[in-house]
Amino acid sequence: MLPLTLLAAQKAANLLTANNALSQQIAAAAQAANVALSNVQSGQVVLTASSPDIGDRDVELTYPRVCLYSTGLKNNQGEKFRTLSGTVTVVAEVWASAALVGQTDQSIHFSVDAVTNILQQNLGDWGDGVFFPGIYDVQFQAPKAGGFGFVESAKITVGLLVSRN
């Protein structure tokens, strides 16, 4: 079995890619708002903590993309007699790039909305002792030069509860 820190990030990635959920959410929101957006395909949802500087050099990482990784694991022994009872923190970083800052900004906000909608639709048990209680935090980063002209990102931090023997 995968280490819990990899397993938790993989479970989050599976939610976003199952039945092209992320792509469908973004497309539906874009159509409702009557805007044209680049879609995040399943192959653009990756398990990596690569910064955009490194990601820009990697041929496989394209824009837009969602990078998932774990940033921490805390065993607070909330459930006595469990080997592991605590939290694992998973981050989904959404990256967008375009020639115009307004395009990256629009793409980021629609993508974050789609990711958080998928999370909310999947409250509860994710299997293997991982549970999503519905709490997340979003932090937007200012655009900067890079990618196709400008790069912008948002970091969605999710605290997952874990209970394992």
Side-chain angles (χ1 to χ4, degrees):
M1 180 179 267
L2 287 174
L4 182 58
T5 50
L6 290 175
L7 179 68
Q10 182 64 61
K11 286 186 172 293
N14 290 348
L15 292 177
L16 299 178
T17 58
N19 299 320
N20 246 352
L22 184 57
S23 178
Q24 289 181 15
Q25 284 273 338
I26 293 170
Q31 183 179 8
N34 200 25
V35 297
L37 293 172
S38 296
N39 228 333
V40 180
Q41 300 301 320
S42 293
Q44 294 164 289
V45 177
V46 294
L47 295 177
T48 183
S50 297
S51 69
D53 303 336
I54 294 171
D56 284 348
R57 294 184 192 126
D58 187 340
V59 178
E60 303 220 352
L61 293 179
T62 59
Y63 291 101
R65 68 175 170 255
V66 179
C67 299
L68 292 126
Y69 55 92
S70 293
T71 60
L73 173 65
K74 182 177 182 178
N75 187 2
N76 61 16
Q77 288 293 289
E79 295 177 76
K80 303 297 183 216
F81 309 109
R82 287 277 191 186
T83 306
L84 177 63
S85 175
T87 58
V88 61
T89 304
V90 173
V91 170
E93 281 196 51
V94 180
W95 292 95
S97 182
L100 301 172
V101 172
Q103 291 171 329
T104 62
D105 194 47
Q106 189 175 47
S107 179
I108 284 294
H109 288 279
F110 275 88
S111 296
V112 166
D113 193 52
V115 170
T116 57
N117 284 343
I118 292 168
L119 287 172
Q120 288 300 315
Q121 292 166 5
N122 288 280
L123 290 171
D125 191 357
W126 288 4
D128 298 313
V130 178
F131 182 85
F132 175 55
I135 300 168
Y136 57 85
D137 179 57
V138 179
Q139 295 178 345
F140 293 93
Q141 305 298 316
K144 59 185 178 179
F148 304 130
F150 295 96
V151 175
E152 192 170 346
S153 69
K155 187 183 289 189
I156 304 162
T157 305
V158 179
L160 299 173
L161 302 177
V162 292
S163 178
R164 302 178 97 182
N165 281 328

